[in-house]
Every structure is written in structure tokens, then in C-alpha cells.
Amino acid sequence: MTEPDVPEERPAEERARRRDIRGGAVRALRGTPAFVGRWALRFALPIAGAAAMLHAFPYRATVQDVPFTVEGSLFTRPGLSADTTLGSWEFPDLTGLPIGVHITPRDVDLLKLTQAAGGDRAAFGQRLQSDFADLLPKIIAWLAADVLIGVLLGLLAAAAVNMSIRYLRRAPRRAHELRLRLVQLGSALGVVVLVGVYGWVTYNPDWARQSQLTGTLAAAQLFPAQLSQYYAQNNKAFDVLGSVLGIQAALQQQIETEAPATALRIMFISDMHLAANYPLVQVYARSYDVDLIVNTGDESLFGTGIELTPGYLDALRAVTSQTPMLWLAGNHDSPAVENTMRAIPGVTVLGGKTQAPDGYDVSAGAVDAFGLTIAGVPDPRVYGGPGDYGSDDDSVTDPLEREAMQDALADVVGDGSDEATASSSSSSSPSASPSASSGAPADGSDGAADDESFDIFATHEPVAAAELRDLLPDRIRETVAGHMHEQNAPDDIQDGSQIDLVEGSTGAGGLSDIVRGDDRPRIEFSIESVAPDCQFTRIVRFRIDSSTPTATSSTEATTPQAFGDDVTASTIYFTRQDIDADRTCSRDLGVSEERPL
């Protein structure tokens, strides 16, 4: 028998090498927190230094006898803003960097400002803008110097902290210490330059196309006539307020110089949920001279017709007696609620919801309104309905929503031939479709053509709106939905030529949130401007944050002080959509009867 092999003893050098490797790994792990801490200081202290310098040393100047300061900020409030005692005017899309520039008048003599503005506030606004523009190079240089000095001070502080720690730990002096510090300084300045280049590259030349007003400046957008009446009792106060608002309006008008004229205005509301907010809607519609209201449903809570009380319906009738309304049923609206809405003068119900053996069937409908083709499909669900039709589980309801849209548009998607489908996708967009150009079906009949396109297609749930776009690619210019009790973000509104709106709860959740125990959301609604050539030019989105009970009468609704500083008005300008050049939209064209699709 052979004896088993006995492993040879490892050489001492190999064992020592392995010990060194293990020791190095341990030292590296132990040194990682210190390494991370050093570089965190090298980043955090320069940023803090820059922020402190911007805050401590704003640019101060006087334009047209108006003293003001220009202060920069990092991370806390990006974009450009002008702050006054009457509210703020903000432009959030200035650059891709998380930096902000804030203009604040200081120690303003409002009476002196009123006298300076005089009767020609537009001319005063132009002088104000021109003089401020002349100062821009100095302001930019000042703020850049603030940032650079703050970064250098932060780097010096980081170096001092690092050297102090090394001294306290009795660490030996490193070779070429000065050279290392100079390399670090150069690297930091290089990062600053790269950040500046990134800001320059991401600068948005159309930053003025999206703005937001708060406070009285926003309330003035809601209640222009009512504010005048309110301040008429004090002529001096009215003159001051009128001058400030007039100057702001003049500056706004200069921003809007490229915007075309407005042929009509459309107001979008949703999710009233039995809230007594129709007096407010009436005031908004009257103040903005709204021509059409599009309501994307959830009028009731439990889906019973009896919920719509006589008082509630009277307030609704007061609105529709002045402004026509297009309405469709939401997931809280049963066929009974839909029938009640059909009986209200001035309301046109889009599509229909009917009882089925296992739930509800929905159909699509359309109208020709002021030169626009507007269609809608109701939500197939009803609160407390059977099976999937009463569910709140998205995994159940989303497929149900999509299937309902497919069934409702089965006759609209195409005639089944590949050529017709291809033609529909490529040439029946609003720019090519006869129906979208003229506001009537392409074949001249009462029904919709297979290749009909739509300026606005409304439904209740955003998932259903997404399905509509998938079913009718390039045939819908704008979708409108609700349900979420929150407006979609400005960056999500327009993608290329297509516009997607999700409206918030104009009823602020109503009884729905009381029943669910949810916090009361904001009151939200939007007003869209339509040009004479049928282009959607801009939308103003209003938000009222007040958590107090809403006004229950039109008299209470006309007082802007009822909302304090809780009003926000955001203006978003659309890029031009691809539609026929010979389109015409006008109030004179009226609203047709609803027709099935």
C-alpha cells in the first residue's frame, strides 16, 4: 500500500503575503468612513458656502424708483420668481439645475408706485422690463461671483477641517501636500465650470411659457370684477392694488405677445361628489367668459339618482343656463344619475351607461362644439356595483376599463382592412381628417366616420384615456380625464402635439372623502383657450388649498378674501398642434346634438 500524500508546508513568504492582503483589506474597510466623510465635506461645505453667499449678499438695485433685491437659492426653490406682498409670480422651468433666482421689491412706497405707473400701466410695465433687462448682465455676474466665492470658502473650510483632524490624530505630513490641495481646488473649480456649462445647455428659452401666480395675484385671475367691487369702497387702496395688478398684467401681456387671439374658452371640471361648489363654478365661468364646460363625471357618491337633491340641481341649472356643459358618467355615477343629468337644460351627456346582466355597458358619443369635435365615453363602473364593476382594486379595474373602451370604440377604430387602418394612422390625424377640420363627419352623415378624428376625447379614468390613445393613434388631439382628485403635473400635459389633461376634484372630494375618511383635497379646475384657427393655445390651472368649507352661495363665492392666500393660478402655453390650416373655431358655430360613435 502507498502512503497518502502529505501536503507540503507553505513557504513563509506566501503566508506573509496573504497576511498583508488581509490586513490591507481590513485597513481599507476601516478607512472607508473617513474617506467618504472627507469627500462629503468637500462637496457639502462648498454647496453650503455658495447657498450662504447667495442669501447673505443679494444684488440690490432700483428700477423706475422701485428698489428690489435679487437673491439666488440652491435646491430649495428652483426657477425664477418675483415676490410681492400681494403674492408670488413664479417661472419654474428656467434651467435643469436646482437653482433659483428670486426678485423681491423692498420698502416699496405703493402710493409712489401708483403715481409712477399713472394711467398707462402698460407703458410703465415696458419701462420696468426694459430697465431690468439692462441690469441682467450685472445681476448674473453678481450671482456668479457669490457662487464662486461661496465654493472657495467651502473648499477652504473643508481643507481646514481635514488638516485639523490629521493634526489631532498626529498623522504624518503627506508628501506634496500643497500640490494635492491645488489639484483638489482645480478639480472643484472644474466641477463648478461643468455645472455652469450644464446650466447653460439646459437653459429653457421658453421659460416664460409656464408660470404660476399665488395669493391676491392669483385671486385676481379668478375674480377680476369682484376684486374691483371689493376695493371700490377705498379708492386709495383700489388704486394701489390696481396699479400692482395692472403692472403685473402688462408684464404678462408682453410674455403673451406671440399668443394668438382667443376665439373661445373651455372650462374643465370633475369629481364634484355632491359638493355645493356649483356657485363657485358659476363665478369662475362668468369671470373668464367661458363658452363650454367639460365635466368628466363622479357627480354623485353612491350612484343613486335621489342623491342629487333639488338644491344641488338648482345650483347646477344656474350654471348651465349661462354656459353649456358636456358631461359623462364616472365610476360613482349609475344610469339613474346619468338620466337625471340628461334632464337638465344645457347639459349634453356624452355616451351612455346601461345595466347589463353582469354589470354595465358603455357607449361613446360626440358633439360638434364651436368648430371642435368632442367625444366621450363614460366609466363602466358604479360604486357598489356587482363583481368587478364595484371593485376599487386597480389590478381588477384597469383591465375592465380598457376592455370597456375597446367595446365602446369597436365601430370607430376602423373598418377592419389593413389599408384603412394604415390610412387612419397616417392621414386621419386632426391635420388631415375632414371631420376634425370641419367639425362634421367626413361622409356627411349623422354618424361618425371610421376615420374620424377628435379634438377632445373625454373619459373619467386616466387609464381609460391611455387606452383611447392606443385605440385611436394620431386621431385624438387632447384627452381629458379626472378620477384622481389631483391634476397631472405640467411636464406630463403635452408630449409633442398631443395633450393629456387629468383634472382634479372641483368638488374637493365632496362627500366621497368624508365617507372614506380621507383628507379633503384641493379645489381644482382648468380653463383652456382656443384660437380662431382651433389651436389650443394655453391652459390656466387653478388650485384652491383652503381646507375651510366652500361657499354655498354665489354671494359668498364672489369674495376673494374668502380664500386668503390659498389660490394658485398656473399658466401653461401649448406648442402648436398639427391641424389643418383652414380650421375655424367660433362661438357662432354653437353646440350640436350628441351623436353615437
Side-chain angles (χ1 to χ4, degrees), residues 564-587:
D565 295 329
D566 296 325
V567 181
T568 301
S570 301
T571 302
I572 300 168
Y573 287 85
F574 298 131
T575 58
R576 289 183 62 84
Q577 303 95 59
D578 185 18
I579 62 175
D580 274 350
D582 59 354
R583 294 284 302 274
T584 299
C585 283
S586 168
R587 294 182 174 95

Side-chain angles (χ1 to χ4, degrees), residues 471-483:
L471 292 170
L472 302 173
D474 300 321
R475 293 171 61 182
I476 300 176
R477 185 149 61 113
E478 177 177 289
T479 55
V480 182
H483 184 68

Side-chain angles (χ1 to χ4, degrees), residues 366-382:
V367 297
D368 304 314
F370 307 112
L372 300 172
T373 301
I374 303 178
V377 181
D379 195 292
R381 298 186 292 138
V382 172

